[in-house]
């Protein structure tokens, strides 16, 4: 996977993080310091879930090597298709109405948001682990974590400035990117 492909994958995976960050910053009137904490936690979760998935995929590769490209394609196509449907239906992302005041509650809430926005990364990570050696996956998931942190900071900025995030359009574009990456993996193995 090239750096541009890893960047596109990262951007596709962190669309929901952008929306959640913007909505949370807008609804809670959070400080930039809390926004940075949230962005770091969301970035960590978006790094950890694909890494865990990649380890699962790497272990499973020996057992399913003949069809690993089909599974990677299927996972990316399924997640991409779900994102497109969510964009068409206009389903809203999850955002907290009120941020708790205690520091421990904040961290707990941000981790819950991180888990909620990173579940799709677990499935993508499985596909990455099936198709790539673990060393390659490490720089890909590091890219995902860094890009997610930066995009989350952008979301906090937009939320504080009351600038709307076009969630439906972003979901559709992200879904198309994931499906495109899945098709690329499939074609590389079939040709």
């Amino acid at each position: 996977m090239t750096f541009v492909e890893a960047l596109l994958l990262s951007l596709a995976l962190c669309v929901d993080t952008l929306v959640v960050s913007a909505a949370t910053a807008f609804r809670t009137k959070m400080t930039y310091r809390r926004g940075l904490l949230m962005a770091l936690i969301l970035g960590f979760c978006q790094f950890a879930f694909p890494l865990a998935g990649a380890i699962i995929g790497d272990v499973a590769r020996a057992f399913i090597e003949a069809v690993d490209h089909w599974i990677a394609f299927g996972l990316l196509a399924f997640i991409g298709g779900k994102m497109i449907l969510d964009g068409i239906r206009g389903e809203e992302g999850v955002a907290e109405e009120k941020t708790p005041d205690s520091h421990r509650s904040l961290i707990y809430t941000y981790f819950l948001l991180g888990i909620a926005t990173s579940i799709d990364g677990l499935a993508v990570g499985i596909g990455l682990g099936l198709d790539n050696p673990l060393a390659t996956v490490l720089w890909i998931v590091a890219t995902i974590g860094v890009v997610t942190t930066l995009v989350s900071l952008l979301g906090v900025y937009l939320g504080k400035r009351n600038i709307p995030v076009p969630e439906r359009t972003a979901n559709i574009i992200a879904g198309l990117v994931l499906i495109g990456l899945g098709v690329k993996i499939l074609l590389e193995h079939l040709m």
Side-chain angles (χ1 to χ4, degrees):
M1 180 175 281
T2 67
F3 178 73
V4 172
E5 292 168 337
L7 188 60
L8 287 173
L9 176 64
S10 301
L11 291 171
L13 285 176
C14 68
V15 165
D16 50 355
T17 304
L18 172 68
V19 173
V20 165
S21 297
T24 303
F26 173 72
R27 290 180 180 164
T28 63
K29 305 294 185 203
M30 73 170 43
T31 64
Y32 282 114
R33 186 174 177 178
R34 285 186 178 180
L36 177 62
L37 175 65
M38 181 175 67
L40 289 171
I41 290 172
L42 296 177
F44 171 77
C45 289
Q46 199 66 276
F47 163 82
F49 274 67
L51 181 61
I55 292 169
I56 293 167
D58 189 52
V59 170
R61 185 180 342 161
F63 301 107
I64 57 174
E65 196 164 352
V67 293
D68 62 352
H69 50 283
W70 285 102
I71 294 171
F73 165 74
L75 288 169
L76 289 169
F78 175 76
I79 293 168
K82 182 185 176 310
M83 291 177 90
I84 291 170
L85 284 175
D86 289 350
I88 291 170
R89 290 181 189 149
E91 294 185 8
E92 296 296 320
V94 177
E96 294 296 310
E97 284 294 325
K98 187 174 184 181
T99 304
D101 289 330
S102 77
H103 189 68
R104 183 176 293 171
S105 294
L106 271 177
I107 292 174
Y108 177 75
T109 300
Y110 294 159
F111 267 109
L112 287 178
L113 288 173
I115 291 167
T117 58
S118 300
I119 295 295
D120 53 350
L122 182 69
V124 169
I126 292 171
L128 289 172
L130 290 172
D131 195 49
N132 297 289
L134 209 47
T136 301
V137 169
L138 285 174
W139 73 263
I140 294 171
V141 296
T143 302
I144 292 169
V146 169
V147 168
T148 299
T149 302
L150 295 175
V151 167
S152 182
L153 287 171
L154 174 64
V156 169
Y157 176 80
L158 294 174
K160 287 185 71 53
R161 298 280 183 244
N162 197 20
I163 300 170
V165 176
E167 180 179 2
R168 293 177 74 181
T169 305
N171 271 333
I172 292 170
I173 292 169
L176 291 171
V177 167
L178 290 178
I179 291 171
L181 289 171
V183 168
K184 179 189 173 290
I185 289 170
L186 185 62
L187 291 176
E188 283 176 347
H189 284 295
L190 293 178
M191 295 185 163

